DNA sequence: CTGTTAGCGCATTCAC
DNA sequence: GTGAATGCGCTAACAG
């Protein structure tokens, strides 16, 4: 219902009728285009007109219809946040989701962006799960892809070639120029295996998270590389895929120690839970750090996951992600034109230097 | 760029050109309207035509433009999630944000809804912070308001009268028919004070969270009611507003014990952190549970926050919220027409019965 | 500095 | 069962 006078709208109780720019225009005695100019902070509106229009907009609590805007304009005001798998497959931890929120608020919120989540990654397209519905529908004008990329992922290629700003938190072999910010898991696995080889181990087990993903593949390749360099034969059964269930890690630990006769284990399960590994060891009749050696991986900058480990590997994924999100925000706002690649180096440190927490350093980084 | 043949789009590499229903229509040899009918599952399309159109839609990975749809249709496919204050004012805990996510996924994700967050509640309108931009812009078609409602809140009234489905997680005195799902904080404060009065206390301090909100006001009113019924004079200084900083709780505890000579304290700071209260007591030279009695409040169904407390009050807010979110989803999908009110009863239990966790019961509930 | 016109992609209305 | 015309609210291109 269009308004006939400003008074009928009321300053104290902004009318809930949905206004259009033409309602504003009529009240201000200008054309719709002028209202549009004010809304978009375009120049070439006289200060007096601008003020008058702005005042009416404020008083009515008018906000431009997003759908209509998105049909004409090319502004980018909404970031899609995508989980590449449903949470029951890859449970995102309390800390991680909280961290993500704070970062989104800090980086995109500060720029006035909206955040759109599609929590329904179950819609099957021809290629499997299409997790980027929000992007194709143009609800959002770019996206952040949170979570590992499965090796058979077909959606990421569409996103990559769509022209929308985006960032993944993984590399992806098939798309060398993918925009991502991540950590070199190959290197992390290489460092871990190398460390245990130096201790004289030949049967090194690995609790391998994300086995069907690029991140899992990198674990395998780094591990393999280290063993090959040392002339140790690869035994595939020593690379043990695990899910995020503690029981799975426990069972895999038991299996590696008993069936595979592993004398050392790389815990890159990312569960960051000492209890599961300990329980597996207990069932095998072994004591971690005594009967077998461990290298553990952690995302956390200020803690380790397994005190019994002889060395720890820190995976600075959140730091990489934060850095990348800043760049994504700039790309979004056309402050930079191109995609980027950030790969941070993992840091291995000995258990006896735990107090001196290392600063992670980038390996390569196409943006500097 | 419109397509001239289906082949040129390709099945394996869906074209990234943004298609319209008319592209689909041309390929299928039908009119735009028929494509629209297929998209919206309208009847009166012959099975053969429907299949042909559907197949082309799938092959192109076509998705209807959300902006265009939102201008004509009245479907509701996006829920706004609003934080009534920025996180630096009311920090949402790890657990809470995680819980919220899982619930959103479970309830709205399962229904195929998108979730839109506005993490930029700093835009000032005439009435202060307008946290419902996403709603006014019609990015979303209803919303969940997470967080306490400040007593001077003007936005909630606009939402209430807008006709959009919504739900707050608080009552709001000024709007008796507000749609909400919450817990009776007045009752919780009443039960807490009554419990300490029964132990003979006359100077009962309160660590009062949310003091400038409806939730804080309810704490005060319940407390006051209990004291008045017992004929105890109210000393305002015993009601001590606290923020979510641990140091604030510590300082307030110290103040209540030393300056105000409180002999008992109701901890409804909702910080759920025993260390802060203990530290305040320590600085006052007191030992909690020995030199003074405590009643603590907790949101958690399976733990208590202060083991030293003589009684615990459980605030089943998450249960209330879950229940309400289900109803909001139904309202959203037009399975129910009206707003609703759910108010759950807090439960006080003695420290020695901690193992028997109580089932919270509704106080009133306009939906059954 | 300001206004007019056209059209974005879709759904609604009405015609066939 | 199907299609043509119309308009949602806004902005780009053009005109004055």
């Amino acid at each position: 219902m269009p308004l006939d006078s400003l008074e009928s709208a009321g300053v104290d109780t902004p009318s809930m009728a949905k206004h259009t720019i033409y309602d504003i225009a009529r009240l201000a005695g200008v054309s719709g285009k002028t209202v549009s100019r004010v809304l978009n902070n375009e120049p070439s509106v006289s200060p007096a007109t601008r003020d008058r229009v702005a005042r009416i907009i404020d008083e009515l609590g008018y906000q431009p219809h997003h759908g209509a805007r998105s049909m004409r304009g090319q502004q980018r005001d909404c970031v899609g946040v995508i989980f590449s798998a449903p949470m029951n497959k890859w449970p995102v931890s309390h800390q991680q989701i909280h961290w993500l929120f704070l970062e989104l608020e800090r980086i995109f919120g500060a720029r006035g962006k909206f955040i759109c989540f599609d929590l329904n990654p179950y819609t099957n397209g021809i290629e499997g799960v299409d997790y980027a519905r929000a992007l194709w529908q143009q609800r959002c004008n770019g996206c952040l892809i949170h979570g590992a990329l499965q090796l058979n992922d077909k959606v990421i290629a569409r996103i990559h070639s769509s022209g929308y700003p985006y960032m993944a938190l993984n590399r992806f072999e098939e798309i060398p120029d993918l925009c991502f910010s991540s950590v070199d898991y190959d290197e992390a696995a290489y460092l871990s295996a190398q460390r245990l080889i130096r201790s004289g181990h030949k049967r090194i087990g690995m609790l391998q998270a994300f086995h069907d993903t690029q991140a899992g593949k990198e674990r395998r390749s780094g591990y393999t590389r280290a063993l090959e360099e040392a002339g140790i034969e690869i035994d595939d059964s020593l690379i043990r895929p695990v899910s995020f269930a503690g029981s799975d890690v426990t069972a895999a630990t038991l299996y590696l120690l008993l069936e595979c006769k592993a004398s050392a284990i790389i815990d890159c399960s990312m569960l960051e839970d000492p209890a599961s590994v300990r329980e597996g060891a207990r069932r095998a009749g072994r004591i971690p750090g005594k009967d077998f050696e461990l290298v553990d991986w952690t995302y956390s900058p200020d803690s380790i996951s397994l005190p019994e480990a002889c060395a720890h590997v820190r995976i600075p994924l959140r730091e990489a992600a934060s850095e990348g999100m800043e760049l994504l925000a700039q790309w979004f706002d056309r402050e930079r034109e191109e995609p980027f690649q950030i790969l941070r180096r993992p840091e291995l440190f000995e258990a006896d230097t735990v107090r001196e927490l290392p600063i992670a350093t980038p390996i390569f980084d196409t943006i500097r």
Side-chain angles (χ1 to χ4, degrees), chain A:
Chain A
M1 186 198 296
L3 295 170
D4 293 314
S5 72
L6 187 50
E7 285 66 34
S8 77
V11 170
D12 300 316
T13 54
S15 165
M16 278 313 103
K18 284 156 196 161
H19 303 295
T20 74
I21 47 170
Y22 295 109
D23 297 323
I24 311 292
R26 190 156 22 79
L27 292 169
V30 296
S31 76
K33 180 61 199 171
T34 298
V35 177
S36 174
R37 287 197 176 94
V38 172
L39 284 172
N40 293 292
N41 276 320
E42 287 173 30
S44 70
V45 179
S46 76
T49 307
R50 185 181 296 277
D51 281 359
R52 191 154 33 92
V53 171
R55 212 173 51 82
I56 293 170
I57 286 172
D58 258 17
E59 286 172 348
L60 292 189
Y62 166 81
Q63 298 259 14
H65 187 290
H66 163 251
R69 272 196 151 177
S70 74
M71 293 190 68
R72 302 306 279 116
Q74 51 278 316
Q75 12 101 358
R76 294 181 181 147
D77 51 14
C78 184
V79 198
V81 178
I82 281 169
F83 295 97
S84 58
M87 299 223 186
N88 56 6
K89 172 160 187 183
W90 289 330
V92 181
S93 72
H94 294 174
Q95 293 80 358
Q96 178 65 12
I97 196 94
H98 192 235
W99 168 85
L100 179 62
F101 244 79
L102 293 177
E103 286 300 277
L104 289 172
E105 186 180 42
R106 181 175 72 81
I107 296 171
F108 290 102
R111 287 168 181 256
K113 306 299 180 215
F114 294 87
I115 320 284
C116 181
F117 287 87
D118 183 0
L119 296 182
N120 179 39
Y122 309 107
T123 316
N124 285 304
I126 41 167
E127 314 286 4
V129 171
D130 186 353
Y131 51 72
R133 291 190 306 161
L135 202 58
W136 313 138
Q137 296 181 4
Q138 300 181 59
R139 282 167 196 278
C140 53
N141 325 100
C143 65
L144 169 68
I145 301 138
H146 185 278
L149 294 175
Q150 286 180 271
L151 292 171
N152 63 1
D153 191 309
K154 294 288 182 275
V155 181
I156 190 70
R158 295 183 63 186
I159 296 174
H160 175 66
S161 58
S162 70
Y164 288 113
Y166 75 94
M167 179 180 75
L169 294 184
N170 286 261
R171 285 187 286 191
F172 199 60
E173 218 167 41
E174 288 180 33
I175 311 174
D177 54 340
L178 188 83
C179 177
F180 70 83
S181 187
S182 188
V183 175
D184 191 338
Y185 299 109
D186 177 293
E187 173 82 0
Y190 179 79
L191 291 173
S192 304
Q194 208 181 38
R195 168 64 181 77
L196 291 169
I197 291 166
R198 278 205 307 275
S199 288
H201 294 284
K202 296 219 179 306
R203 293 199 61 77
I204 300 169
M206 181 157 81
L207 299 167
Q208 181 205 31
F210 298 110
H211 73 279
D212 56 350
T213 71
Q214 178 70 35
K217 195 172 178 180
E218 291 182 21
R219 283 162 165 75
R220 170 183 284 270
S221 65
Y223 169 94
T224 303
R225 190 157 48 90
L227 265 65
E228 278 171 353
E229 280 184 16
I232 301 172
E233 204 183 342
I234 310 296
D235 176 355
D236 273 347
S237 65
L238 283 165
I239 301 175
R240 196 74 191 156
V242 292
S243 77
F244 286 96
S247 59
D248 207 22
V249 170
T250 295
T253 304
L254 173 61
Y255 179 87
L256 286 174
L257 292 173
L258 279 198
E259 303 292 321
C260 304
K261 307 201 189 316
S263 67
I265 289 180
I266 302 167
D267 177 11
C268 48
S269 70
M270 301 327 279
L271 199 62
E272 307 202 41
D273 167 37
S276 304
V277 172
R278 281 182 197 139
E279 174 63 14
R282 194 192 62 75
R283 291 189 197 166
R286 309 286 166 79
I287 297 171
K290 192 152 168 285
D291 302 326
F292 67 101
E293 281 199 302
L294 274 161
V295 172
D296 68 339
W297 291 19
T298 175
Y299 291 129
S300 170
D302 53 9
S303 62
I304 55 177
S305 65
L306 264 167
E308 297 96 329
C310 61
H312 310 279
V313 176
R314 176 154 144 61
I315 309 289
L317 181 60
R318 283 197 275 262
E319 289 78 352
S322 287
E323 198 177 343
M325 283 166 73
E326 300 268 18
L327 295 176
L328 179 60
Q330 291 169 19
W331 187 8
F332 221 73
D333 282 344
R334 298 170 218 277
E335 292 162 16
R336 61 179 308 114
E337 286 308 311
E338 292 302 316
F340 50 87
Q341 299 190 317
I342 300 175
L343 189 66
R344 296 193 64 143
R345 187 187 292 280
E347 200 88 14
L348 182 138
F349 49 103
E350 297 295 316
D352 56 13
T353 62
V354 160
R355 282 297 129 219
E356 312 159 29
L357 292 167
I359 307 292
T361 54
I363 293 178
F364 73 87
D365 185 330
T366 64
I367 57 146
R368 291 178 214 279

